[in-house]
């Protein structure tokens, strides 16, 4: 198994119609597996962006995000059907630096780019997607899965993602926006249909507890150099002292009284022994 310089794709759908966010999470790159302690320790020393620093002093609600998903504790729900996602690349409008991430926004007045199925009762229109990333490849995701970093393998160069990367220099500073037509975000979606879902919140103010989180099991691999380009963006406006846009993710929140459901059957033992070869079932090529 292979987890690596990759983005874990996360769909975030809220009951508010037409708010759907596809969120990408860069994950992990260490050469060997590391313990929860190691990962926590590494990220604990990062400087929190003021956006999250002040918010985390406020007592949270009961369904805040992000969380650590524990594979073993997630509950298979056979009623969770596959998600259906359709995109119309021409609905892509622009890309802007909002001071803590960059957002690609879509025209959402009609049902041209929609997600439906899975745990969702209605269909949702794609409104925007954005990313969270770390200062280095060892962390960066908001949600974590089993609190672990995984062994590295080379990521892939995404041609469609490169379109995005190429335009980043023009939105280097906070509050800059440029037109960005015809982007197909489906390259950022893993092909495997399996996902986890739980009830959570926005991870930026106002932290509204109105989000159905859908986290794909399969992360998307990306090229280290493409991720490195994300880190050339700035939290700051032109003229201000430059602050690199890195570690723009909210810290983990307690699960409280919630259950994470999975759309797939799983066996925890298999999950932790993925590197062992079974002679009857050689690894897929
Ligand atoms: Zn986000």
């Amino acid at each position: 198994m292979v987890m690596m310089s990759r983005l874990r794709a996360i769909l975030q759908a809220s009951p508010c119609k037409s708010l759907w966010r596809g969120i990408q999470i860069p994950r992990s790159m260490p050469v060997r597996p590391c313990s929860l302690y190691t990962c926590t320790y590494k990220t604990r020393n990062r400087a929190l962006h003021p956006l999250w620093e002040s918010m985390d002093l406020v007592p949270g609600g009961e369904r805040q995000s992000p969380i650590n998903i524990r594979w073993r504790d997630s509950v298979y729900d056979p009623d969770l059907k596959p998600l259906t996602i359709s995109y119309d690349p021409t609905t892509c409008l622009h890309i802007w630096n909002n001071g803590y991430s960059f957002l690609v926004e879509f025209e959402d007045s009609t049902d041209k780019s929609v997600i439906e199925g899975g745990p969702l009762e209605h269909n949702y229109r794609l409104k925007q997607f954005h990313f969270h990333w770390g200062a280095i490849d060892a962390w960066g995701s908001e949600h974590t899965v089993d609190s672990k970093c995984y062994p590295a393998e080379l990521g892939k160069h995404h041609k469609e993602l490169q379109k995005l990367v190429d335009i980043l220099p023009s939105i280097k500073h906070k509050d800059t926006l440029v037109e960005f037509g015809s982007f197909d975000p489906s390259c950022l979606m893993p092909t495997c249909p399996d996902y986890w879902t739980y009830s959570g919140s926005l991870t930026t103010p106002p932290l509204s507890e109105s989000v159905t989180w859908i986290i794909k099991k399969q992360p998307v691999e990306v090229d280290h150099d493409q991720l490195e380009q994300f880190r050339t963006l700035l939290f700051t406006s032109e003229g201000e002292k430059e602050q690199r846009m890195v570690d723009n993710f909210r810290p983990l929140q307690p699960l409280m009284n919630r259950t994470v459901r999975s759309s797939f059957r799983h066996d925890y033992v298999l999950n932790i022994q993925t590197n062992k070869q079974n002679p009857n079932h050689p690894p897929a090529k």
Side-chain angles (χ1 to χ4, degrees), residues 124-167:
Y124 290 82
R125 293 176 187 165
L126 173 60
K127 185 174 177 60
Q128 55 107 335
F129 69 83
H130 61 269
F131 299 81
H132 301 272
W133 60 92
I136 62 170
D137 291 347
W139 63 76
S141 63
E142 292 213 295
H143 290 80
T144 59
V145 176
D146 283 346
S147 307
K148 281 179 187 165
C149 307
Y150 289 86
E153 70 166 28
L154 283 181
K156 293 183 182 122
H157 187 87
H158 278 278
K159 212 172 143 206
E160 191 72 8
L161 184 64
Q162 188 59 36
K163 278 196 203 171
L164 245 174
V165 166
D166 287 342
I167 210 157

Side-chain angles (χ1 to χ4, degrees), residues 12 21 23 100 130-132 142 203-204 213 248:
Q12 182 182 349
R21 307 170 181 199
I23 299 177
Y100 60 87
H130 61 269
F131 299 81
H132 301 272
E142 292 213 295
T203 62
T204 50
W213 278 91
N248 57 352

Side-chain angles (χ1 to χ4, degrees), residues 97-121:
N97 178 333
N98 68 357
Y100 60 87
S101 184
F102 67 89
L103 274 64
V104 179
E105 296 193 304
F106 292 78
E107 192 270 309
D108 64 346
S109 61
T110 59
D111 282 341
K112 281 182 174 166
S113 295
V114 293
I115 173 173
E116 56 198 324
L120 307 173
E121 287 175 18

Side-chain angles (χ1 to χ4, degrees), residues 75-81 261-265:
V75 176
Y76 169 59
D77 181 350
D79 291 334
L80 287 174
K81 302 298 178 220
R261 292 180 292 153
S262 69
S263 71
F264 54 94
R265 287 182 192 279

